[in-house]
Amino acid sequence: MSLRKPLILSRSVAPSKKIVFFFPAFASTEATAPLSLLAVATPLLRAGYQVVIIDSTITPNFKERVLHEVKDALCLGISLVTGPMIRETVEVSRAVKAWKKDFPVILGGWHPSLLPLQTLETDFVDVVVRGQGENTMFEVVQHLEDGASLQGVSGVGFKRDGMPVFNPERPLQPLAELPPKAYELADFDAYERICGRRWAMYISSLACPFNCSYCTNAGVYGRQWNGLSPDQVVEETFDITTRYRLEMLWIVDDNFLVDIDRSLKIAEGLVRAGSTFKWSIQATTNLTARLSINELTLLRRSGLHQVCQGIETASPTVMKLMNKDFQVLGDIYQSTERCIKAGVIPSFNIIFGFPGEGSKERRETVNFMMDICRKFPGAEFWTNIFTPYPGSPIFHHTAELGIEVPTSLEGWADYFPRYTVLPWLKGSDHQRVQTMRDYLRIAFDRAPIATKGHGWFAKAIQHLTAYPARARLNYDFYSFPVELWINRQLKNIVKLPKPSVDAKRLQPETAPSCT
Ligand code: B12
Ligand code: SF4
């Protein structure tokens, strides 16, 4: 006899074994299967449920597809992070609710985890899953199938008589205790048609021991770094890349190098296994700096081709404000040199407009970027504008910083570091920084991790505009941006790889997420 409490979500169809997931477009051409949903799918598949994933990036008629698939399904799960993904989340959920008001819509991922109450207060959201979703979603599905209340399912927020109810959080599980991701659900052919590369994401460790003030990581994972054993990583990555003929894996760990010994053992294992795929990692600059040239060479031999690092600022004042005391600029020069020598691309992220960054501090950062790129051709930078994410330490100070934060789920859709306008960086100042960022883009070569770059013609034109762009950055002069105009024209002539099937074009600018 079931001791579970009565229904919270009334259901007018017979229980189904089919679960539909939707992954909204994330405004990047770096397209591959969403790891979050592949993770959540495994326990369901193992228990005999049918799982359908509809990823908007490879499905232009995604709304119709979702509406079609939910007809005989038990529930709809959506994965999202803060920002533009919310737009399609709203569109699809509203369409489903218009079809059947009591069809369960479950939201999971970083945004619902960080703002669970506000998310649950949205009319079309029935359940939010906070934190790791593998076991929580499985239990939610079982309860829905049994017609039971979600009371007692840890990690879940749901509605009772229209009022939000939150169960206690589910304790974090180490990665090694979680099941492998269901890569078999991924349509790698479709993703390849979008971005020109056949690749996947893989995760080998969770969390990060640091607590940068703009980062949400500590808020979710509590700085409790834990990783898979080298043997497991080697075995799984070798298997996935062989089975699905992948040329590349993007290891999305927040800080892959926390255990350097583990990293080197993974490299040794991959060399021994004779692997041929390329892989890229995210790591902090201080840990990359600990790698000797021999160690980097070993990593390179094993396929590592890029280390993505979040420098974020070169101003000592701002670095302190960001709580990045672990970072030493001098070390970055040395490790960049070693990376380039070993054949590993050092790729860096920068945040402009952090509170406390004035024009002097911004100049220090731009000078540093240019110095690195000039001294070490091959090093690359990606820039963003500071955006205080919920869950990050600095988010608690938004009111005193004069930043108005959205008060509803839908309001967060425009929250995106590509465009962020801040009280201290708006109007012509904001425009100037955006133009400067455009010049930084064309001044030095850089390639997105997971899309095929432009051809030789585009590169040649870019090189022609690179030199005047560098001069402008030197003189901090951005009026009459003719080189940017030339580049835009070029983008219109030389198209990115065009998908041959029904795939949707997204904005070409990519924004790798780095530590
Ligand atoms: C890979 C990645 C990307 C890739 C995504 C590629 C792709 N094809 O999916 C790209 C480069 C596009 C990207 C872009 C951005 N990203 Co990003 N990204 C990541 C990264 C490194 C890994 C995500 C991942 O797959 N993790 C592995 C999976 C298994 O974990 P997961 O996603 O957390 O999923 C688990 C739970 O959240 C939950 N869950 C997730 N979805 C669902 C759904 C349901 C129904 C359920 C029940 C559970 C559930 O269960 C899963 C298994 O436990 C994370 C950092 C991180 N540690 O996760 C940042 C992260 C998600 N990104 C972040 C940000 C800020 C961005 C950008 C804004 C960066 C930028 N500068 O532009 C953009 C936004 C893009 C957009 N949506 O509009 C933040 C999000 C913060 C927030 N508040 O939402 C993160 C957390 C980084 C950070 N520490 O700040 N990103
Ligand atoms: S920004 Fe990177 S280094 Fe800093 S806490 Fe987040 S994951 Fe760690």
Side-chain angles (χ1 to χ4, degrees):
M1 192 182 81
S2 170
L3 293 175
R4 288 171 188 162
K5 298 240 166 66
L7 257 182
I8 45 132
L9 298 160
S10 64
R11 198 185 41 230
S12 51
V13 288
S16 160
K17 291 295 255 185
K18 177 174 166 186
I19 316 299
V20 179
F21 286 111
F22 176 60
F23 193 67
F26 52 79
S28 164
T29 44
E30 295 191 292
T32 190
L35 204 51
S36 54
L37 293 180
L38 301 187
V40 173
T42 303
L44 296 168
L45 291 171
R46 284 182 173 173
Y49 292 94
Q50 181 198 352
V51 174
V52 175
I53 297 180
I54 297 157
D55 180 343
S56 141
T57 300
I58 52 168
T59 321
N61 56 343
F62 60 90
K63 201 160 72 183
E64 291 72 31
R65 274 290 312 283
V66 172
L67 284 171
H68 174 74
E69 294 291 351
V70 291
K71 292 241 151 67
D72 57 348
L74 185 63
C75 59
L76 171 69
I78 304 181
S79 175
L80 62 148
V81 304
T82 309
M85 289 176 106
I86 290 172
R87 228 162 271 143
E88 288 178 0
T89 300
V90 174
E91 191 184 339
V92 162
S93 308
R94 285 213 193 287
V96 167
K97 289 294 186 184
W99 160 67
K100 190 173 274 190
K101 206 167 170 301
D102 62 358
F103 189 83
V105 172
I106 302 156
L107 263 50
W110 285 78
H111 187 81
S113 298
L114 294 168
L115 287 178
L117 178 59
Q118 194 189 79
T119 308
L120 187 58
E121 278 169 349
T122 314
D123 56 351
F124 58 76
V125 180
D126 298 303
V127 181
V128 291
V129 168
R130 291 187 285 167
Q132 292 170 317
E134 288 88 340
N135 292 324
T136 313
M137 183 66 185
F138 180 54
E139 285 180 30
V140 167
V141 164
Q142 283 183 312
H143 280 64
L144 291 180
E145 194 183 10
D146 292 354
S149 163
L150 295 183
Q151 177 100 39
V153 178
S154 359
V156 156
F158 63 100
K159 284 174 181 156
R160 187 189 288 135
D161 301 326
M163 296 305 290
V165 177
F166 281 95
N167 294 334
E169 282 182 26
R170 186 174 290 266
L172 284 171
Q173 271 187 284
L175 192 56
E177 286 177 14
L178 293 172
K181 317 294 180 266
Y183 285 96
E184 66 273 23
L185 293 179
D187 183 352
F188 288 112
D189 293 339
Y191 291 108
E192 187 180 358
R193 285 191 289 263
I194 290 278
C195 68
R197 280 220 163 123
R198 202 175 173 87
W199 68 285
M201 294 188 285
Y202 177 82
I203 188 156
S204 88
S205 70
L206 278 181
C208 170
F210 301 111
N211 191 15
C212 302
S213 57
Y214 54 85
C215 179
T216 51
N217 206 299
V220 172
Y221 287 110
R223 304 171 71 185
Q224 298 300 307
W225 186 90
N226 62 89
L228 301 178
S229 73
D231 284 349
Q232 185 174 348
V233 176
V234 172
E235 196 180 309
E236 285 182 355
T237 55
F238 191 82
D239 177 64
I240 300 159
T241 50
T242 316
R243 193 185 294 260
Y244 303 107
R245 296 179 288 106
L246 305 176
E247 60 178 284
M248 198 197 86
L249 285 183
W250 175 5
I251 314 246
V252 295
D253 304 16
D254 294 301
N255 203 346
F256 180 82
L257 294 174
V258 170
D259 181 345
I260 289 188
D261 195 41
R262 182 191 86 116
S263 313
L264 298 174
K265 285 194 173 120
I266 291 172
E268 279 165 11
L270 289 173
V271 171
R272 253 199 317 274
S275 74
T276 53
F277 65 91
K278 291 206 284 188
W279 50 295
S280 72
I281 57 168
Q282 308 188 125
T284 38
T285 52
N286 63 325
L287 295 174
T288 312
R290 287 198 204 155
L291 295 169
S292 67
I293 183 77
N294 287 344
E295 290 167 339
L296 278 161
T297 308
L298 168 67
L299 285 156
R300 179 72 192 99
R301 275 178 56 217
S302 75
L304 180 72
H305 80 121
Q306 187 170 45
V307 184
C308 194
Q309 303 157 79
I311 295 180
E312 317 304 2
T313 179
S315 148
T317 314
V318 180
M319 220 174 327
K320 214 170 180 46
L321 293 168
M322 287 179 166
N323 199 21
K324 286 184 87 79
D325 289 344
F326 56 86
Q327 178 161 279
V328 180
L329 290 184
D331 290 355
I332 297 175
Y333 278 90
Q334 286 156 25
S335 80
T336 303
E337 184 173 18
R338 287 196 291 269
C339 281
I340 298 279
K341 272 195 183 140
V344 175
I345 301 168
S347 177
F348 301 111
N349 264 32
I350 293 290
I351 295 173
F352 287 123
F354 195 79
E357 183 194 74
S359 43
K360 171 181 162 282
E361 288 77 16
R362 195 169 307 144
R363 196 63 227 164
E364 283 172 340
T365 301
V366 174
N367 287 346
F368 175 83
M369 294 167 71
M370 304 229 306
D371 199 31
I372 289 273
C373 287
R374 285 201 168 107
K375 289 198 168 102
F376 310 110
E380 58 182 37
F381 282 87
W382 301 80
T383 69
N384 271 306
I385 296 188
F386 167 65
T387 310
Y389 277 96
S392 62
I394 200 159
F395 189 74
H396 303 296
H397 302 285
T398 43
E400 69 200 66
L401 289 169
I403 300 174
E404 269 182 49
V405 295
T407 50
S408 68
L409 173 66
E410 290 180 72
W412 290 95
D414 292 323
Y415 215 71
F416 201 31
R418 212 177 285 169
Y419 322 116
T420 314
V421 177
L422 299 158
W424 56 94
L425 190 64
K426 57 184 182 187
S428 55
D429 284 350
H430 180 262
Q431 187 48 52
R432 193 176 150 76
V433 169
Q434 290 292 56
T435 311
M436 182 185 80
R437 291 179 62 216
D438 285 341
Y439 273 110
L440 283 164
R441 269 179 210 129
I442 61 170
F444 302 99
D445 265 351
R446 52 174 214 181
I449 294 179
T451 39
K452 280 252 193 288
H454 290 160
W456 67 267
F457 178 65
K459 271 214 165 118
I461 301 279
Q462 162 151 18
H463 283 169
L464 285 179
T465 51
Y467 291 97
R470 288 179 201 182
R472 278 179 178 274
L473 289 161
N474 271 339
Y475 292 105
D476 215 11
F477 172 74
Y478 310 111
S479 303
F480 312 110
V482 62
E483 306 84 352
L484 298 180
W485 181 85
I486 294 174
N487 253 271
R488 267 196 303 274
Q489 302 310 309
L490 170 76
K491 263 188 197 160
N492 292 337
I493 302 166
V494 187
K495 298 277 184 209
L496 283 167
K498 190 147 180 74
S500 54
V501 283
D502 56 343
K504 183 174 155 180
R505 302 288 306 155
L506 294 167
Q507 295 176 42
E509 171 64 3
T510 53
S513 168
C514 291
T515 58

